[in-house]
Amino acid sequence: MRSPTLVLISVFVSVLTACSGGGTSSGSTTVQPGDSGAQDAASLPASWSAVYGAYFGPGTPGHCGNAGCHATTRGGFLCGPNKDTCYQGLVNASLVSLKTPASSAIVDTSSSPLTWFGGLMPQDNQGPNADAATALKAWVAAGAQND
């Protein structure tokens, strides 16, 4: 069952207007979004840098920090301009739990706002993304650190 806070966040997120490539390097693995927007999640390290670079940053399938999306606080969530502000935004919105990372709401099929887990975001890129889901699950299972 969804907590009242997460339901409220989901409601706000669902009423947001739709948001209108590039790659980043993380350690020895280069993350480069392809035309399909999908990444080979098995090739990504279980790090926030890799997950943000492939799925949350500008030009990615999630593109949370884009103008018109969560570059500013919308629906109770701020991704902001970079991986550090986006990470803090996920923590502040109770989507990432620092006490029990593996049970973070961001990967929970009953509470995640992400379409990859049954939610509604991003509104302009609906549908499953198995690679994104796999990468996020691996990251939270590894402790959901801002690394």
Side-chain angles (χ1 to χ4, degrees):
M1 178 169 211
R2 292 182 182 214
S3 74
T5 301
L6 291 176
V7 170
L8 183 59
I9 290 170
S10 294
V11 169
F12 280 117
V13 167
S14 69
V15 298
L16 295 177
T17 58
C19 307
S20 330
T24 187
S25 181
S26 174
S28 62
T29 302
T30 299
V31 178
Q32 189 72 330
D35 292 333
S36 68
Q39 294 295 308
D40 179 5
S43 71
L44 294 175
S47 71
W48 175 239
S49 293
V51 171
Y52 176 82
Y55 304 109
F56 285 81
T60 65
H63 56 271
C64 302
N66 282 9
C69 293
H70 298 281
T72 59
T73 302
R74 297 188 74 173
F77 172 61
L78 168 68
C79 182
N82 59 55
K83 78 171 191 73
D84 296 325
T85 58
C86 196
Y87 177 84
Q88 193 58 52
L90 293 171
V91 171
N92 292 347
S94 299
L95 293 170
V96 170
S97 170
L98 299 180
K99 290 183 181 180
T100 55
S103 63
S104 291
I106 197 159
V107 296
D108 187 301
T109 57
S110 66
S111 59
S112 180
L114 297 173
T115 186
W116 313 322
F117 297 98
L120 300 171
M121 296 306 292
Q123 287 187 333
D124 64 345
N125 193 11
Q126 294 280 306
N129 184 327
D131 288 335
T134 298
L136 277 166
K137 287 178 185 176
W139 172 63
V140 297
Q145 298 296 304
N146 183 6
D147 48 12

